[in-house]
Amino acid sequence: MGETYRAAIIGTGGIARTHAGYYMANERVEIVAGCDISDERLTAFCDEREIEGRYADHERMLAEVQPDIVSVCTWNGTHMPLSIAAMEAGARAVVSEKPMSDELGGPMDAVALAQERGVYFVVHHQTRFSPGYNAARKLVAEGAIGAPVGIHMHSGGGLLNIGSHLIDAVRFILGEPAWEYVVGWIQRDTDRFERGSFCEEKTHALVGFAGGHELVVSLDMVDGVKHKHFQLVGPDGVINFDREQATLIDADGAHESLSIEQAGYLDERARWKPSAS
Ligand SMILES: NC(=O)c1ccc[n+]([C@@H]2O[C@H](COP(=O)([O-])OP(=O)(O)OC[C@H]3O[C@@H](n4cnc5c(N)ncnc54)[C@H](O)[C@@H]3O)[C@@H](O)[C@H]2O)c1
């Protein structure tokens, strides 16, 4: 067995269970502490997993526990300040929940600090590893539909909640190209909140990526319609896809649907070596 890691989780609510599941399934990781402002949630979470360290204050936890890995599983507006606090306390890996932030400054600071300190820092867009997205990525990489690619995504679920996952998935499928331009439109007529952040009712955007790829993403544009429709279109064919599978349609007609399993972030972290230090 290689190096082992001590993990801590800040925010012990719903999605923290998924993070704990990653760590508990990996023999090289031990969860040494949890932190939550709700004593009830903290106790239930830690009792169930026999986690010894229990804290109401993240600063105290980071100082006393000095974890190698920190999961940030709190509400939207706290992701970046807590990720930065974890890096400043010496964490070597930080997995922050999505959305990265509800404003622009924090993410830039967090990425800059991670690069400076050689910290493995990811925003938990775990849906990118879905079998259907993996299959779509493989087909695009093999040139099955040619390039550049146009992507159409229609979905419900809000920009910060589901939209952040979809935009990340598109970058994954295209091989992580940089974005070059965004033409965006949102509507927010109400004071609707989603986990502590103001939340728009409708989003429509065109995102241009390096290589000439263009994403058109439409979220909640038709009231109450939640169905999803995802399509990649290239000069040589079309790929219809969802999280489960991808189906290529080219000059030979419709091919058999593809579905490819892939490991997630913890395996990625285990393979990662810091560039600084
Ligand atoms: N990646 C995904 O698929 C996915 C799925 C669900 C939720 N999320 C994201 O995870 C985040 C949390 O969602 P949830 O559904 O788990 O919410 P939740 O309310 O169930 O859990 C959040 C917990 O954080 C605690 N908390 C808040 N501020 C804190 C602080 N400063 N210090 C310590 N604890 C604090 C709360 O008391 C609560 O127990 C959201 O930003 C959401 O967008 C991601």
Side-chain angles (χ1 to χ4, degrees), residues 45 86 132:
F45 185 86

Side-chain angles (χ1 to χ4, degrees), residues 163-198:
S164 56
H165 275 300
L166 298 182
I167 293 167
D168 177 72
V170 164
R171 292 199 59 245
F172 174 74
I173 289 167
L174 294 178
E176 319 282 0
W179 65 273
E180 292 188 332
Y181 55 88
V182 176
V183 183
W185 175 90
I186 58 166
Q187 174 186 304
R188 183 166 74 78
D189 285 340
T190 66
D191 279 348
R192 191 160 75 91
F193 276 89
E194 198 257 333
R195 295 182 180 104
S197 300
F198 279 121

Side-chain angles (χ1 to χ4, degrees), residues 20 74 143 164 244 266:
T74 50
S164 56
E244 279 71 49
L266 202 59

Side-chain angles (χ1 to χ4, degrees), residues 151-160 162-164 166-167 170 182-187 200-207 214-231:
I151 308 104
H152 299 266
M153 292 193 130
H154 298 264
S155 176
L159 176 60
L160 292 182
I162 298 300
S164 56
L166 298 182
I167 293 167
V170 164
V182 176
V183 183
W185 175 90
I186 58 166
Q187 174 186 304
E200 74 302 320
E201 291 103 35
K202 296 176 187 291
T203 303
H204 187 69
L206 172 70
V207 185
E214 274 193 342
L215 162 67
V216 175
V217 58
S218 297
L219 300 161
D220 308 295
M221 291 301 287
V222 182
D223 288 334
V225 175
K226 299 292 177 205
H227 79 268
K228 291 179 165 51
H229 173 70
F230 305 154
Q231 190 174 57

